[in-house]
Amino acid sequence: MSGAIFQTGRSGLFVTDQRARRIGDILTVSFNETYAATKAQTASSSKTDAFGVTLPTALPNILTGGFDKDPAGLNAGTTRSFAGAGNAVQSNSFSGLLSVTVIRVFDNGNMEVQGQKELTLNNGNEYVRLRGVVRPEDISASNIVSSDRLADAQIRYTGSGHLADSSQPGWLSQLMRTISPF
């Protein structure tokens, strides 16, 4: 029913809540992602095998034609050792804003959101893609939700173009690394 004061499809008489809650509504995600990881590994192993055979003292010596009174015997052995170490340190941060659309509303009120932004720069394109689930109570009065409040978040920041291509090994190099046993 529509009238002078009441309009169908609008909520609130004097103020309205601008927070997303229906399919098609737009919500802003604020990124403030910072991650750091450190990993260190050390490994070592060693193995020594030895064996010996002592010859009797009465064996003939081929060079002198006589008998050895104190033969040294035969000795053999192997020694193997391995030592390795590895270290990795990684740190990433990502900040900014991205508007996304509600694509699904669950029975409990949670909303699945999805969105992307494409930036065309001088030497290529940059893409920010996001998909996740947000609770209505995590959305601020200004219709913004922090990225750390998204459940099952899939955040992708990728690039294409000359700069992105130059930071990747070529296809032949990738092939050789795949088939190389070393």
Side-chain angles (χ1 to χ4, degrees):
M1 172 183 238
S2 294
I5 297 175
F6 178 77
Q7 296 291 322
T8 305
R10 292 189 158 209
S11 60
L13 182 58
F14 296 107
V15 293
T16 60
D17 186 3
Q18 298 297 318
R19 287 183 277 200
R21 64 180 171 274
R22 294 184 303 256
I23 293 175
D25 285 354
I26 295 175
L27 168 71
T28 301
V29 177
S30 173
F31 294 102
N32 193 11
E33 302 287 331
T34 302
Y35 295 98
T38 302
K39 181 179 180 180
Q41 180 178 348
T42 303
S44 64
S45 67
S46 65
K47 181 178 181 180
T48 302
D49 293 329
F51 60 90
V53 175
T54 304
L55 299 173
T57 57
L59 287 178
N61 186 330
I62 298 172
L63 296 175
T64 62
F67 288 92
D68 281 338
K69 303 217 188 260
D70 187 21
L74 299 175
N75 292 308
T78 61
T79 301
R80 289 185 288 171
S81 65
F82 166 78
N87 190 12
V89 176
Q90 184 175 1
S91 178
N92 296 301
S93 67
F94 180 64
S95 61
L97 298 172
L98 175 68
S99 292
V100 296
T101 304
V102 176
I103 61 171
R104 181 174 166 193
V105 178
F106 296 98
D107 292 337
N108 62 0
N110 291 348
M111 297 168 282
E112 184 175 6
V113 295
Q114 176 179 320
Q116 91 168 11
K117 182 182 284 188
E118 177 182 345
L119 303 166
T120 302
L121 305 171
N122 296 358
N123 295 313
N125 296 332
E126 301 287 325
Y127 302 94
V128 181
R129 293 184 177 103
L130 176 124
R131 186 180 190 113
V133 177
V134 64
R135 297 182 310 173
E137 55 267 23
D138 291 333
I139 302 172
S140 73
S142 57
N143 203 37
I144 297 175
V145 65
S146 179
S147 62
D148 63 354
R149 305 303 296 171
L150 291 173
D152 301 323
Q154 299 172 8
I155 302 169
R156 289 185 177 84
Y157 181 76
T158 59
S160 66
H162 296 300
L163 289 178
D165 292 344
S166 67
S167 67
Q168 299 294 322
W171 64 269
L172 182 58
S173 177
Q174 290 176 356
L175 177 65
M176 294 307 287
R177 289 179 188 183
T178 302
I179 62 173
S180 175
F182 303 108

